[in-house]
């Protein structure tokens, strides 16, 4: 959806990262803010309770956003 698979961004919070990554694309901004979008930081899936916009990020953290997944 973003048009790229990897990008280096300087952001100190999860909210700042979302803003920078989404840029001026309202569709991408909505997807990144959706509670159903997976957020993975340093290979650890963040539960919804640990995903506030003020969640602090370290300079070398690796953050990935993934599509919602369903299972049976």
């Amino acid at each position: 959806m973003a048009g790229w698979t990897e990008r280096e961004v300087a952001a100190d919070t999860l909210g700042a990262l979302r803003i920078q990554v989404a840029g001026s694309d309202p569709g991408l901004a909505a997807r990144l803010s959706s509670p159903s979008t997976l957020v993975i930081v340093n290979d650890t899936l963040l539960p919804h309770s640990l995903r506030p916009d003020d969640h602090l990020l370290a300079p070398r953290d690796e953050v990935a956003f993934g599509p919602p997944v369903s299972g049976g």
Side-chain angles (χ1 to χ4, degrees), residues 34-70:
S34 170
S36 64
T37 298
L38 301 178
V39 178
I40 301 106
V41 178
N42 300 324
D43 297 322
T44 301
L45 178 64
L46 291 186
H48 294 288
S49 61
L50 296 179
R51 294 172 27 180
D53 279 347
D54 61 352
H55 178 88
L56 293 176
L57 299 173
R60 293 276 186 213
D61 280 350
E62 183 176 294
V63 180
F65 296 98
V69 199
S70 64

Side-chain angles (χ1 to χ4, degrees), residues 4 7-12 15-24 32:
W4 43 268
R7 183 173 166 192
E8 193 166 319
V9 176
D12 57 357
L17 177 70
R18 284 184 179 125
I19 290 168
Q20 287 188 45
V21 168
S24 60
L32 293 180

